[in-house]
Amino acid sequence: QVQLVESGGGLVQPGGSLKLSCTGSGFMVEHAPIGWFRQAPGKQREGVACMRARYGGSYYSDSVKGRFTISRDNDKSTVYLQMNSLKPEDTADYFCTTDFARDCPRSVNVYDFDYWGQGTPVTVSS
């Protein structure tokens, strides 16, 4: 059974940092593309980052490029999203996602991947 569990969300001031974690089970995390997307109240889902299967590199949306970094710890079956220089507009629920039939798209539109976690909330506010 494929499962993705996110953690690490919370309240942070503008300019601060958070590190989200996504732990996968029921599949080989290192062999699958893992993406992050977010959804803010009243807004459309937005893909923010995706790490390609195996060691194929990563893609980022323009809105987070240079501020967010996606990484993977294969021993822990976990993918991280390090978020720096956070802005109020980064406030959203963040979800990790994977798919076994395709790799990361350059567009980072990963919100239609087949498997999602339950999400973790991020609030950026003073």
Side-chain angles (χ1 to χ4, degrees):
Q1 179 183 356
V2 174
Q3 250 192 328
L4 296 166
V5 179
E6 302 94 336
S7 62
L11 173 64
V12 63
Q13 291 188 340
S17 298
L18 277 178
K19 188 174 185 178
L20 307 184
S21 300
C22 169
T23 300
S25 59
F27 68 104
M28 292 290 288
V29 170
E30 64 183 289
H31 293 166
I34 304 290
W36 287 92
F37 71 90
R38 64 189 181 187
Q39 185 158 27
K43 294 188 177 180
Q44 289 188 330
R45 293 172 189 157
E46 177 191 12
V48 297
C50 194
M51 174 163 275
R52 297 186 66 186
R54 302 178 190 270
Y55 298 99
S58 305
Y59 301 129
Y60 298 91
S61 66
D62 289 342
S63 61
V64 308
K65 200 173 296 182
R67 300 188 297 121
F68 291 12
T69 303
I70 191 170
S71 61
R72 184 183 351 230
D73 185 334
N74 293 331
D75 291 338
K76 296 182 179 179
S77 297
T78 298
V79 171
Y80 303 99
L81 185 68
Q82 177 68 47
M83 307 187 296
N84 298 329
S85 303
L86 282 162
K87 305 175 182 180
E89 51 263 43
D90 294 318
T91 295
D93 290 329
Y94 283 72
F95 300 83
C96 67
T97 182
T98 192
D99 196 291
F100 304 139
R102 47 188 162 156
D103 209 337
C104 295
R106 288 183 178 272
S107 64
V108 203
N109 290 334
V110 296
Y111 39 79
D112 59 352
F113 273 10
D114 283 344
Y115 299 95
W116 301 2
Q118 82 289 349
T120 186
V122 172
T123 303
V124 184
S125 175
S126 54

